[in-house]
Amino acid sequence: MKKSGSSDSKSLPAKQKVTKVVSSSFKKTTKKSKKVTKKSKYSKSTKMLPSSGEGQKWNTLVHNGVIFPPPYKPHGVKMLYKGKPVDLTPQQEEVATMFAVMLDTDYAKKDKFIENFMNDWRKILGRNHVIQKFNDCDFSPIYEWHQNEKEKKKQMSTEEKKALKEEKLKLEEKYMWAVVDGVKEKVGNFRVEPPGLFRGRGEHPKMGKLKRRIRPNDITINIGKNAPIPECPIPGESWKEVRHDNTVTWLAFWNDPINPKEFKYVFLAASSSLKGQSDKEKYEKARMLKDYIQGIRAAYTKDFVSKDITKRQIAVATYLIDKLALRAGNEKDDDEADTVGCCTLKVENVKCRPPNKLEFDFLGKDSIRYNNVVEVEIPVYKAIGQFQTGKGESDDLFDKLDTSKLNAHLKELMPGLTAKVFRTYNASITLDEMLSRDTKDGNVGEKVVVYQHANKEVAIICNHQRTISKSHAAQMSRLTEKIDELKGILDGLKTDLSRARKGKPPLKDADGKQKRNLTPEALERKIAQTDAKIEKMERDKNTKEDLKTVALGTSKINYLDPRISVAWCKRHEVPIEKIFNKSLLAKFAWAMDVDPSFRF
DNA sequence: AAGCGGACTTAGTACTATTCGA
DNA sequence: TCGAATAGTACTAAGTCCGCTT
């Protein structure tokens, strides 16, 4: 019964199913959607049974393993060394080409990148190779060749492109799906990562190192006991290991060639019910924090002045995580980019600005800068000052603290509470409150703007950033130009209007041609239209400038409880498709039947 | 309680597909 | 209808946190 129930809801193509559920449940009576909620709760709870058994994640698991990138195809284009063409073996050429195709990126200009690349390349060139120094290398012939190849691809007809795509799809089709407890689910990343030069973010000490090719012998497969073991797609080679571990969700993994202590996993796609279930649990935990947050805030406020320095540090750290949505901040190795989170903040990352402001300036995850001046309670301000006294700039601000101590403390306050829950909580509660406060009667477009505004607020809280697009400045000035042009037209119309009112004909236009003689009423209408157009363009221009460094997607995908959005859409008759794209609809299938009255 | 292996979520960017506006 | 702008997807790096061992 369980199986038929769940496969029923899953075997349909997600796309159709989701939109159907949405559009039918919208506008309909709440009675109906309540029924749906109950039903799904029932089927979910029966489905939970297998997973509730001691960390068990599945009963049966069937899949076809992973697909490997094609072997390297030598192009034979010779790079130059000291101005002369060099013969390279295919293997040597492959690595040279990896660098050549990056010639127009910032990476190729960084000393560290070049150094690491040269070290690994030289190993493949061999000790006595003619190529010795980077500065004598000229990769441009290979670069030109690559540009040419790209251009050729672009010039292909639509039919040719389509055929190529279909061919690829055919080849990959069988790897795209897994069957988990009898339900067909999409696999997330079934393609093994191709070899390349490591592109670490920020000042990563390993940037430019060769990420070697992964072979079947590097890969461990996880699959159901009774399922057929996936055939190794490379003839003559075999998997490293086959496991049957149903306490984990990965289908395969290999050791990261850049950092062999770490793993690269193949998981199910975000649309799978396994992922959906844990996503829901994440938000339920964040909602639980709602009931504890008052007490937690009261407790840490009290501990700002605790005589126990560890307690004081825990209190201040928790405050920062809560108020500023900082990440926990685990320790990092020397062979990683130098970034910090809350627990790893250095003295130099926080400056006291009298009387009670703090300026934060540090590189966080992905080396994204966090720079923010905030007013804090006096006791926090004082405590930070105390933590800093007698320390050097690069010393830990919270010397008595690390993430495990902090999380251990949080767990005493609420079951399962960890630092990251605060980010989820604050993001989702902000969306919920802003939506309910700011949504006014109006058309769908206006409501969507309210949503986007709330989304932006959350993105700023979480410091989700993006790089300014290369064409941003040009786009802005083009907008300004257009606005000016419209303003010119507006002036002309106004002149014409006053002349028309006096019964005079309009002035000649810029080209000296006679304009049509319009009635004052028609002119007034035109003026109003142009005015509205200008206003809209200026609004668009402002939001564009506002959002040039803000990434809205990350919070939507990871921090905002989708049920808030779905329920809001239902309440305000906004089609959910205006808020969630196809992949988000699939990812959030579990949230679609939420009651319209749902609040976070 | 430190340290580490392990598993999972979160993140920005590069590339592609689709939509928009002259 | 075309190229530019925008939206969507693929990719994989970089975090968090758990639980086991020493």
Side-chain angles (χ1 to χ4, degrees):
Chain A
M1 202 189 125
K2 169 194 72 206
K3 262 183 194 157
S4 71
S6 43
S7 66
D8 210 1
S9 64
K10 281 291 164 184
S11 52
L12 285 165
K15 178 171 46 177
Q16 290 177 20
K17 217 242 149 186
V18 165
T19 37
K20 239 184 226 163
V21 167
V22 172
S23 34
S24 67
S25 61
F26 276 31
K27 307 183 178 182
K28 297 282 169 185
T29 63
T30 43
K31 257 185 228 161
K32 195 169 184 182
S33 47
K34 258 182 196 156
K35 252 186 214 162
V36 174
T37 314
K38 265 186 195 153
K39 217 185 196 170
S40 84
K41 253 187 200 156
Y42 180 71
S43 65
K44 286 248 166 70
S45 64
T46 47
K47 228 188 138 197
M48 299 269 286
L49 283 178
S51 66
S52 56
E54 255 348 284
Q56 191 178 319
K57 301 286 171 58
W58 46 265
N59 286 311
T60 67
L61 173 63
V62 185
H63 64 86
N64 291 306
V66 292
I67 191 166
F68 291 86
Y72 179 66
K73 233 171 87 211
H75 47 67
V77 176
K78 291 184 181 23
M79 59 174 291
L80 309 176
Y81 190 74
K82 295 191 175 168
K84 297 220 173 70
V86 210
D87 284 320
L88 295 175
T89 68
Q91 231 203 341
Q92 295 165 346
E93 181 195 281
E94 181 180 17
V95 182
T97 304
M98 290 172 186
F99 188 87
V101 303
M102 291 179 74
L103 233 40
D104 54 7
T105 68
D106 289 343
Y107 282 115
K109 295 172 190 76
K110 294 194 173 185
D111 291 343
K112 194 80 217 173
F113 191 92
I114 291 167
E115 181 196 324
N116 286 333
F117 157 70
M118 282 306 287
N119 283 151
D120 283 358
W121 191 34
R122 261 193 296 259
K123 284 180 208 154
I124 289 165
L125 291 172
R127 201 173 289 270
N128 300 315
H129 201 277
V130 279
I131 294 176
Q132 293 291 335
K133 281 170 57 195
F134 176 78
N135 284 331
D136 293 325
C137 291
D138 181 358
F139 296 91
S140 53
I142 302 180
Y143 174 79
E144 301 297 343
W145 165 82
H146 176 250
Q147 294 301 98
N148 200 279
E149 290 293 298
K150 274 209 300 201
E151 188 55 32
K152 269 198 239 165
K153 223 181 234 170
K154 227 166 67 187
Q155 293 306 321
M156 278 193 316
S157 69
T158 352
E159 293 83 52
E160 282 175 304
K161 281 184 193 161
K162 211 170 165 187
L164 221 64
K165 227 169 105 184
E166 260 160 40
E167 204 173 310
K168 192 182 172 208
L169 193 72
K170 224 180 201 169
L171 216 66
E172 297 187 337
E173 168 74 19
K174 67 177 233 191
Y175 299 99
M176 288 172 43
W177 304 94
V179 180
V180 185
D181 293 344
V183 180
K184 191 174 168 186
E185 304 270 24
K186 237 186 181 147
V187 179
N189 53 330
F190 49 85
R191 291 183 200 89
V192 170
E193 293 176 19
L197 302 180
F198 178 67
R199 295 156 98 113
R201 320 254 170 89
E203 294 304 309
H204 196 117
K206 294 193 172 183
M207 66 168 78
K209 281 178 72 73
L210 174 63
K211 197 170 80 166
R212 54 160 262 260
R213 186 175 288 271
I214 301 299
R215 338 201 57 224
N217 201 254
D218 296 308
I219 293 182
T220 301
I221 298 281
N222 191 34
I223 196 153
K225 261 228 160 69
N226 299 312
I229 290 163
E231 188 191 342
C232 175
I234 298 180
E237 302 195 30
S238 55
W239 306 119
K240 180 181 185 180
E241 192 188 337
V242 176
R243 288 192 206 164
H244 309 284
D245 185 352
N246 70 0
T247 68
V248 295
T249 66
W250 52 266
L251 311 186
F253 84 84
W254 65 90
N255 287 91
D256 178 4
I258 292 297
N259 193 161
K261 287 182 214 324
E262 287 173 359
F263 319 98
K264 299 285 200 170
Y265 292 93
V266 174
F267 289 117
L268 293 173
S271 57
S272 65
S273 90
L274 217 52
K275 291 280 192 192
Q277 206 172 299
S278 78
D279 210 26
K280 184 176 180 182
E281 282 162 15
K282 172 182 80 185
Y283 290 114
E284 283 305 301
K285 188 186 279 186
R287 289 179 83 205
M288 201 203 298
L289 182 50
K290 251 188 349 174
D291 301 330
Y292 290 82
I293 193 73
Q294 298 301 332
I296 289 170
R297 286 175 178 160
Y300 68 56
T301 303
K302 225 165 133 192
D303 280 347
F304 289 158
V305 293
S306 168
K307 45 241 139 304
D308 181 340
I309 183 154
T310 306
K311 271 191 179 174
R312 224 182 315 142
Q313 291 197 359
I314 286 179
V316 173
T318 311
Y319 170 84
L320 297 180
I321 284 167
D322 182 18
K323 172 151 178 144
L324 302 179
L326 300 191
R327 295 188 184 81
N330 283 307
E331 297 292 335
K332 295 190 76 184
D333 283 345
D334 297 337
D335 59 2
E336 298 175 278
D338 193 8
T339 64
V340 301
C342 183
C343 292
T344 40
L345 280 171
K346 307 286 175 272
V347 168
E348 63 197 353
N349 296 137
V350 189
K351 298 267 181 276
C352 294
R353 304 275 184 244
N356 64 331
K357 285 187 179 157
L358 296 174
E359 176 170 0
F360 292 82
D361 195 348
F362 60 90
L363 297 182
K365 181 177 180 179
D366 296 303
S367 294
I368 295 294
R369 184 173 176 208
Y370 183 94
N371 183 208
N372 192 11
V373 181
V374 268
E375 193 168 331
V376 297
E377 352 277 283
I378 299 287
V380 172
Y381 184 83
K382 284 186 178 158
I384 294 280
Q386 287 165 6
F387 302 155
Q388 289 176 327
T389 51
K391 287 184 191 166
E393 286 286 285
S394 60
D395 288 343
D396 286 334
L397 180 68
F398 297 113
D399 53 306
K400 300 281 186 283
L401 215 52
D402 60 42
T403 53
S404 72
K405 279 177 199 148
L406 180 71
N407 282 332
H409 171 253
L410 293 176
K411 280 202 172 48
E412 290 174 2
L413 304 177
M414 181 189 111
L417 184 61
T418 61
K420 78 195 267 283
V421 180
F422 284 89
R423 268 170 83 82
T424 312
Y425 164 78
N426 279 310
S428 285
I429 199 86
T430 300
L431 177 73
D432 190 281
E433 283 170 356
M434 285 190 71
L435 286 182
S436 88
R437 193 189 65 212
D438 298 342
T439 309
K440 304 281 189 295
D441 289 340
N443 60 39
V444 167
E446 290 164 345
K447 287 172 182 170
V448 170
V449 168
V450 170
Y451 187 94
Q452 283 167 343
H453 186 243
N455 193 169
K456 175 194 155 193
E457 196 68 27
V458 172
I460 289 169
I461 292 172
C462 294
N463 199 38
H464 291 143
Q465 295 192 236
R466 58 175 185 161
T467 52
I468 302 176
S469 88
K470 224 167 52 184
S471 56
H472 178 79
Q475 287 174 25
M476 287 306 281
S477 52
R478 211 168 322 151
L479 275 177
T480 313
E481 230 170 76
K482 272 186 193 159
I483 289 171
D484 288 346
E485 198 184 305
L486 280 174
K487 279 181 178 164
I489 292 174
L490 186 67
D491 283 346
L493 286 170
K494 282 181 177 164
T495 316
D496 292 349
L497 176 64
S498 62
R499 288 176 64 89
R501 280 186 174 140
K502 294 174 200 151
K504 294 184 203 162
L507 292 172
K508 307 222 161 136
D509 71 9
D511 301 333
K513 278 183 271 179
Q514 186 63 45
K515 284 191 276 188
R516 214 148 54 87
N517 208 342
L518 294 166
T519 64
E521 291 71 34
L523 282 169
E524 271 170 1
R525 245 178 291 130
K526 270 199 146 177
I527 287 172
Q529 276 172 10
T530 313
D531 250 332
K533 218 170 172 181
I534 290 173
E535 260 175 52
K536 185 186 181 307
M537 284 193 95
E538 284 188 325
R539 266 203 313 276
D540 288 354
K541 186 183 155 207
N542 287 339
T543 36
K544 194 186 183 75
E545 181 66 22
D546 254 15
L547 292 175
K548 67 179 175 186
T549 60
V550 182
L552 298 183
T554 307
S555 51
K556 222 179 198 178
I557 295 170
N558 298 302
Y559 287 100
L560 301 174
D561 188 333
R563 293 170 298 183
I564 300 168
S565 307
V566 173
W568 176 83
C569 281
K570 288 179 180 179
R571 289 199 300 272
H572 296 96
E573 292 184 333
V574 174
I576 189 68
E577 292 81 3
K578 297 269 178 211
I579 303 298
F580 292 151
N581 63 33
K582 195 161 62 95
S583 49
L584 288 180
L585 285 173
K587 169 170 172 149
F588 296 142
W590 59 270
M592 290 302 155
D593 61 3
V594 69
D595 194 279
S597 65
F598 176 92
R599 294 293 304 274
F600 181 72

